[in-house]
Amino acid sequence: MPQSVELKLNGTMIELPVIEGTEHEMALDISKLRAKTKFITLDPGYVNTGSCKSAITFIDGDKGILRYRGIPIEQLAESSTFVEVAYLLIHGELPRPKQLTGFSQRLTWASMIHEDMKTFFSGYPAGAHPMAILSSMMGSLSAYYSGDDDYKNPKQMDLVIARAIAKIRTIAAFSFNKSRGLPFVYPEADLPYCANLLNMFFHKPTRPYHIDPEAVRLMNQLLILHADHEQNCSTSTVRLVGSSEANLYAAISAGICALWGRLHGGANQAVIEMLQRIHKDGGGVQKYIDMAKDKNSDFRLMGFGHRVYKNFDPRATIIKKACRRYLEHVGADDDPLLNIAIKLEDAALADDYFAERKLYPNVDFYSGIIYRAMKIPTNMFTVMFAIGRTPGWIAHWKEMIEAPEFRIGRPRQIYTGPVERDYVPISER
Ligand code: CMC
């Protein structure tokens, strides 16, 4: 591969260095292009733009490959835990036993939120979307832990990381408890992360929650599958907000907002709502396949398609298998929404429109059916995604602020508005 390529612009030859990643992805370094030529590059939606170098996650969208720090997602989902994967993403290596114990302990110690914050939950209207609560409560952590921002101090870095991962779960659980008019359930010191999460969601003083190992295993799997996905919309948001040196809680709060949209993490809620709509409509899928193909309709098949995967989404393959296993385990394998999802997937995969555009089920297509079987309500699905994605957001933020080339993110634009003109006083308009 050449070290650089030449670009001829206005009669001048410019040399653009070639950058090659460890998996042989190629890029042209255009960082000096404007300084040398006054040209910028234009790429709406960043379809073709690399915003950074990163050693965290590798995706080959044509082959359906996803690896965290080099380790295939299939192996992690099968054998690891969410906490171990969080450590791997953030620190670059699987933890040794002592490191894992230390990390888990920090998560336990950091899992409470300030007691005063509990009063916030009463300020939201009944029916408030839990993503609205989650984003504002995460941002509010900056008010309570404002001294956490000496990120060059490794101890402070460890503490702020533990606080973010541990407290997002507590906030999510408290907002769930509150939405059902139930008392807050505190984290237990001797429960691992996912068992604790389920307990905080479902334990009632009058009806103790029996921790089902199968549900714990599945929760670990789901959070692992959501833990990182390189430069997606919310992670890029976390990087951009963090690049102004805003604190980590503020950056994560912004990431939660970016995740909320139905084209990104909000798709898991949108999938179930779509399947419910089809169910109400008699269960026939062809009408909805036709609507998704119709350019005059704004209906899209939610849970289908991906900017990067043009073959299959390996997370969807794992989730589909896990979904069947768990539904059988809890005796919910006759869920009509599961049958509609399978019919919809089969019909879409057999249709030229979807084949030509390489549209396959993504991570969100089956995850909602599992959450439903776990008795997690639809409007909490994207919150679950956010809990899972938090270690990925942190890993990217940390990688960015520690990189030698760290600087504020600031894209350029091509201005297309009016050229200079005079102000007209209101009496003359
Ligand atoms: N249903 C019907 N048509 C679709 C769909 C869909 N779900 N997705 C893409 N297309 C069509 C689109 O209309 C376009 O057709 P044409 O070339 O004729 O104009 C073509 O496929 C390319 O689509 P695009 O919108 O240019 O692709 P994109 O890379 O900008 O968008 C996407 C990717 C995921 C936003 C999109 O596929 C989509 O809206 N999917 C549904 C929402 C969804 O499931 N999102 C979750 C993504 S995975 C998890 C995550 O990132 O959080």
Side-chain angles (χ1 to χ4, degrees):
M1 196 49 62
Q3 301 276 299
S4 63
V5 296
E6 289 181 332
L7 175 71
K8 202 171 174 188
L9 264 181
N10 292 341
T12 311
M13 201 65 89
I14 319 290
E15 225 175 86
L16 299 175
V18 169
I19 310 287
E20 184 173 0
T22 48
E23 289 283 355
H24 311 296
E25 292 169 300
M26 309 301 293
L28 297 179
D29 177 353
I30 52 116
S31 55
K32 303 277 184 296
L33 183 68
R34 186 173 180 279
K36 287 185 181 165
T37 67
K38 295 207 171 357
F39 276 73
I40 64 164
T41 55
L42 187 63
D43 181 22
Y46 310 121
V47 178
N48 203 48
T49 295
S51 59
C52 60
K53 290 185 205 160
S54 179
I56 300 169
T57 286
F58 172 70
I59 301 176
D60 183 329
D62 295 322
K63 295 193 185 133
I65 290 174
L66 169 62
R67 298 183 199 131
Y68 297 163
R69 300 286 188 180
I71 305 177
I73 191 66
E74 292 79 5
Q75 291 180 23
L76 292 169
E78 184 59 33
S79 311
S80 191
T81 63
F82 176 60
V83 169
E84 190 177 61
V85 166
Y87 187 101
L88 170 73
L89 286 168
I90 294 165
H91 297 290
E93 295 294 337
L94 287 168
R96 290 192 297 276
K98 209 170 147 197
Q99 291 169 320
L100 185 59
T101 307
F103 187 58
S104 304
Q105 263 171 2
R106 281 197 296 282
L107 292 181
T108 302
W109 293 334
S111 59
M112 304 284 286
I113 56 172
H114 194 291
E115 282 290 290
D116 290 353
M117 287 184 82
K118 287 193 330 197
T119 61
F120 296 6
F121 291 99
S122 311
Y124 295 100
H129 197 288
M131 284 296 274
I133 300 175
L134 191 70
S135 63
S136 51
M137 294 291 281
M138 274 312 279
S140 303
L141 290 177
S142 340
Y144 286 87
Y145 305 99
S146 56
D148 270 12
D149 53 3
D150 179 11
Y151 303 132
K152 291 210 164 67
N153 174 340
K155 280 215 161 108
Q156 275 259 307
M157 182 57 110
D158 282 350
L159 182 65
V160 73
I161 288 171
R163 280 186 169 147
I165 297 174
K167 291 183 200 306
I168 193 169
R169 178 192 59 185
T170 306
I171 294 169
F174 281 14
S175 85
F176 183 45
N177 301 150
K178 177 78 190 164
S179 70
R180 294 177 305 156
L182 291 170
F184 295 130
V185 181
Y186 286 84
E188 299 266 344
D190 52 358
L191 284 181
Y193 193 94
C194 287
N196 229 332
L197 187 156
L198 289 166
N199 191 60
M200 289 162 77
F201 271 42
F202 297 116
H203 175 83
K204 293 187 194 121
T206 51
R207 201 165 166 198
Y209 175 66
H210 158 72
I211 295 171
D212 173 8
E214 194 59 35
V216 173
R217 180 179 132 88
L218 185 61
M219 186 56 75
N220 270 293
Q221 267 192 335
L222 288 167
L223 298 188
I224 290 170
L225 294 175
H226 285 105
D228 193 43
H229 216 232
E230 48 115 307
Q231 310 310 320
N232 56 86
C233 176
S234 57
T235 302
S236 301
T237 301
V238 169
R239 277 184 176 260
L240 195 58
V241 173
S243 82
S244 74
E245 298 191 0
N247 66 69
L248 177 62
Y249 307 117
I252 291 181
S253 168
I256 292 169
C257 292
L259 186 73
W260 192 358
R262 68 180 200 131
L263 299 188
H264 191 10
N268 55 14
Q269 174 171 345
V271 168
I272 289 296
E273 287 164 355
M274 172 185 77
L275 296 176
Q276 281 167 333
R277 182 174 160 193
I278 299 173
H279 182 49
K280 258 196 191 157
D281 199 10
V285 297
Q286 194 53 46
K287 173 176 157 190
Y288 292 87
I289 294 279
D290 293 342
M291 255 158 63
K293 289 158 45 174
D294 179 0
K295 294 291 168 203
N296 296 317
S297 157
D298 61 4
F299 179 82
R300 278 191 167 199
L301 217 50
M302 300 317 290
F304 254 76
H306 198 276
R307 173 63 62 80
V308 182
Y309 293 120
K310 298 299 169 197
N311 184 325
F312 64 95
D313 179 338
R315 302 167 302 173
T317 311
I318 298 169
I319 286 192
K320 186 175 176 184
K321 221 168 110 192
C323 180
R324 279 181 183 276
R325 199 183 54 222
Y326 187 71
L327 264 59
E328 271 170 30
H329 171 69
V330 294
D333 44 339
D334 57 350
D335 183 349
L337 297 197
L338 175 66
N339 293 330
I340 292 173
I342 292 168
K343 273 202 292 183
L344 199 58
E345 179 186 356
D346 290 347
L349 293 181
D351 193 297
D352 284 349
Y353 172 94
F354 293 90
E356 278 159 18
R357 289 166 182 76
K358 302 184 175 167
L359 302 169
Y360 296 89
N362 60 47
V363 67
D364 293 316
F365 195 65
Y366 284 101
S367 63
I369 296 176
I370 302 184
Y371 289 135
R372 234 167 85 88
M374 289 178 136
K375 310 257 182 283
I376 295 173
T378 313
N379 66 0
M380 284 294 291
F381 292 177
T382 316
V383 169
M384 305 312 295
F385 194 152
I387 298 173
R389 185 54 57 89
T390 300
W393 288 331
I394 294 171
H396 282 272
W397 164 83
K398 183 170 181 286
E399 180 178 66
M400 176 189 70
I401 63 167
E402 292 176 350
E405 65 273 19
F406 171 58
R407 63 202 299 206
I408 190 166
R410 206 297 185 189
R412 288 191 174 262
Q413 63 163 22
I414 294 294
Y415 175 69
T416 58
V419 294
E420 184 177 356
R421 54 191 178 140
D422 286 330
Y423 173 77
V424 181
I426 195 158
S427 55
E428 294 171 28
R429 277 178 241 158

